[in-house]
Amino acid sequence: MESAEIARRFLRFFEERGHKIVPSASLIAEDPTLLLVNAGMVPFKPYFLGQRTPPASRLASVQKCVRTGDIEEVGKTTRHGTFFQMLGNFSIGDYFKEQAIPFAWELLTRSESDGGFGFPEEKLWVTVFENDDEAIEIWRKVGVPSERIQRRGLADNYWHMGVPGPGGPCSEIYYDRGPEHGRDGGPVADEDRYLEVWNNVFMQYSLSAVRSKVDFDVEGELPAKNIDTGMGLERMATILQGVDNLYEIDTTFKVLDRAAELTKTRYGRDQRADTSLRVIADHVRTGTMLVADGVAPSNEGRGYVLRRILRRSIRNLRLLGSGEERYMHDLTATTIAAMGDIYPELKTDAPQIHAVIDAEEASFLGTLRTGTAIFDVAVEETKRKSGTILSGDQAFQLHDTYGFPIDLTLEMAAEQGLKVDEEGFRRLMKEQRERAKADAKAKKTGNADVSVFGQLLEKAGKVDFLGYDTTTAESSVIGILVDGAAVPVADAGASVEIVLGRTPFYAEGGGQLADQGVIRTAGGVVEVVDVQSPLSGLVVHRGKVASGSIKLGDEVQAEVDVERRRAISRSHSATHMVHRAFKNYLGESAAQAGSENSPGRFRFDFTSAGAVSPSVLRDAEDEVNAILINDLQVNAFYTSQSEARAMGALAMFGEKYGDEVRVVEIGDYSRELCGGTHVHSSGQLGLVKILGEQSVGAGVRRVEALVGIDAFRFLAKESVLVAQLTEQLKARREELPERIEGIVTRLRNAEKDLEKLRSSQVLAIAGELAASARDLGGVSVVTHRAPDGTSPDDLRKLALDVRGRFPADRAAVVVIAGAPSDRPVVVAAVNEAGRTRGLKAGQLVGVAAKALGGGGGGKDDVAQGGGTRVESIDDALRQVGETIAGQLG
C-alpha cells in the first residue's frame, strides 16, 4: 500500500466519523518557541490551550514534521530520519477514551478491501499508563487479551507539553514484526521487534508546574477533555509495504534508488555507501519540503537547518563519487514526483523549489572546493605534529572564512581519525556573536543599559505613536538620558536620548529608516537625528540639545522633518509595489527577505535561485510605473492575522506578527502586512527607477532603486552622459552599446596579447634555469626570483616547466618567488624522484612563506604560499636552500 493511499484511507475513515479534515500546516511553526513543526499536534496546541476557537470539535490531518536533534545518526541507523508525516485525529472537548480507542482499533484491524489497514489482531499489543484502569477496560472490550496489554510508567506513557497546561496518560499500539526481529515479551521487552504504530493521548488533567518529563504537579481535571493521536505515516508504510526500514518505503526509496543510479552505486553492498545513500534520500526529501514551505538557506534559524540538510546531501553525493556533477536537481525532481500525490503544491511550485536548491548546490560546491583544500592542509599539519585534535582556531577559520559548517568539519575530521576542539570553536563563535550583539545594541540603545529603558517603559507605559496621522504633536518629556544615565535636565551641547509620552516620530523598523526633526520646549530645542525602539512599546529620540535646555516634565512640540518623511514614505510604498511586481514575473517564491527604505532610495532583498534578467527588471519597472500613473489609493487598516492571510496579504519571510496586524493596500495591486508609513496614493511616487540587482547570498538577490525626484535626477544625469558619449564616439544613441562593446573587445584582446608576450618571456628562461641548477647531495635544486609583476599563474607555470626539464630519475626541486603586486608569492615543485628523497613542496613553501611573513602549503608535488614582506624574498629563497641541504645531510 503506497504512502498516499495510507494517508487517504486514514482521512477518509475519520471524515466518515464526523471529523473535519484540516490540511497540513506549514513546516514554519507559528509557535515562537519552535523553529519548525516537530509533532503532529503542534498546529492544534492553541485549541487545546483555549487560545483559539477550533474550526470543529473533531479534526483530522496529515501533518508534515521535521526533527533534527539526531541528524548525525541519520543514515547510520535505519530508524532516524529528519522529515516525517504524522496522521492524527483530534477531539477538542468532544469524544474521549471510550471512542478514541475503538476508532484506532477498527481502522487498524479492518480489512484492506473494506478501507482499513488489515492488521492481524493477534499481531497487535498495547501499552497503557500504569494506573489507567479505564483504558485497560476499554481495550479488553474491543478484543485485546490481557496478556497483550502492558502497563508502563510516566517516562513512557504520560504526555504533556513541557510547560504548565493540559496533559494526561497515553496508550500506544505496537505491531509484532516476529521473532526474527527480537525477543518475546511485548513492547516492554523489545521495541525493535514490537514497533509502535499509534499513540493515543488522553488530555484530561491541568498541570500547574512541570519540572521534567516525570516530575510535575496535577492541578485538577480539565473542564473539557481532549484527544490527541498520532500515527507515523513512514512507520505504517514500512509495515504495510513489507520493507525493513523507513528508507525502503516508496517515497524515500525512489530518491535513494535514483541517487544510487546517478552515482553508479549499489544499495546493500557496502555499509559506508549505504549510509551516504540513506542520508541523501532522507535529506533531499526534507530539503524539498522545507523549501516548498518558504524556507530559504541562510546561516541562522530554520534557514540554517535547511542549509545544513542540503549540504550534508551534497557532500554525501561527493563521497559516492559525484565529483563536480550536480545531481540535486534530478533528486529533487524525483522527490517531487514521489511526494506530489500527497502534496500537489510540490508539482505546482517545482520551478521555485528547483531554483533555491540548485543555487545552494552551486554555492556549496564552490565552498567545498576551497574549504576542503584548507581542511586537508590543517589535517596534514595536525598529523605531522602527531596531534589528534584540530584546533578551535582552525575550525573557526573554516567556518568564518570559507563557509564550512562545524558539523561538516566534525564529520570530516572523524573520517581522518581526528577530533575537533569544539569548546575552542564555540568560544570563538560566542565572542563573534557578542561583538555583533554589542554593535547592534549600540545602534539601538546607544550607551544605555537596557534596564534603564525597562524602567522608563514601566514609568511611561506604551508610548502612543501618532505618526500615521500627523507629523507634529504636543507631548511631554517623561525621560532624559545622557551617556546612558537618567538625568533631570540636559543643557545645550549635550547628546541626549529623550522619551515622550506620545510622539509623531517613526522609530526605525520594518526596513524603514527613522524620522528626524526637532523637539521644542519653552526653554530649548533638541535636534532629533535618530529614533529607536529598544523595547517593544518604548520610543527613544536620540539627538543633541541645540540651544537652551530640556527638563523632565517639559511640555514640548515634536516636529518631524516632513520632506524627509515624505521621501521615505515614497520609498516604502515603492518597495511594496516592486515586491508585487517581482512576484508577478518571478512567481510566488520571490519572497521578501529584507529591505531598507531611505529618502528617495530603497533596496529590496528577495529569494531567487539565480540572477534576474535585465528584461524582467525592465518589465517589472514598467509595470510599477504604469500603476503609478493610475494613482491608486493607499489604505491601511487593522485586522486579525488569519483574516489578513485569507485575503492574500504578503508578510515578510521569518517575521513574527501578533494576532492583530496592520495591512497596507495599494488599490487592488498590492496588499502587505506593514507597520510603516506610506503615501496616500500611488501617483505621489512620481517615478521608480530600478538601478540593477546583485547577489547578497545563496538564493537571495538585492534590487536597488530610486524614487521620485531622485529617480528623475538620475535619468537626467544619464541623459547628459549618453549625449557626451554620442559626441565622443560619433555614434547615434542606439548604436552606443555596439560601439562600446567593440572598443572593450579590442582592449581585452590587446591585454591578452600582452599577457601572452609576458608569459613567453618568463617561460623563455626555463631552460637556462634548469641548466644552472645547483647539486645538493645528488638533488638538482633551482631557487629563482622572478621579475616583479610576474603573475602567480606564470610563477607556477615556470616552476612546473623547469621541473619538467629534468630526467625522471634525477631528483629535482624548483622554488620560484616573485612579487606580482605588493605582496610576495612563492611556488615550489618537487618531482617524484625528489619526493622519494623526502623532499616535500608543501613543507618548503611553508619555510619560505614564514620568512615572508605569511603562510601557505599544498601537496607534496607542488605548493604555493605567500606573505607580506617583499624585501624578504631573497632571504626566503636562501632559507629554502638551507632547509634542503639540511634534510639531505
Side-chain angles (χ1 to χ4, degrees), residues 173-194:
I173 308 172
Y174 289 80
Y175 174 75
D176 181 4
R177 298 197 294 165
E180 64 274 20
H181 291 281
R183 57 197 175 101
D184 292 334
V188 297
D190 191 336
E191 288 199 13
D192 284 328
R193 170 176 169 173
Y194 300 90

Side-chain angles (χ1 to χ4, degrees), residues 70-139:
D70 295 321
I71 191 171
E72 288 82 8
E73 299 304 312
V74 172
K76 297 177 183 177
T77 75
T78 56
R79 295 185 296 108
H80 292 88
T82 54
F83 174 81
F84 62 97
Q85 300 156 92
M86 192 60 71
L87 308 168
N89 60 287
F90 307 89
S91 166
I92 294 92
D94 192 325
Y95 61 84
F96 202 50
K97 298 178 188 178
E98 67 282 353
Q99 282 182 277
I101 288 174
F103 281 161
W105 186 255
E106 181 184 358
L107 179 56
L108 284 176
T109 59
R110 179 186 284 190
S111 68
E112 289 189 20
S113 61
D114 197 23
F117 293 128
F119 280 76
E121 292 187 12
E122 65 275 11
K123 287 278 194 177
L124 297 177
W125 289 63
V126 297
T127 62
V128 297
F129 182 54
E130 54 193 1
N131 60 10
D132 192 356
D133 296 331
E134 180 186 6
I136 290 177
E137 186 58 32
I138 298 172
W139 279 117

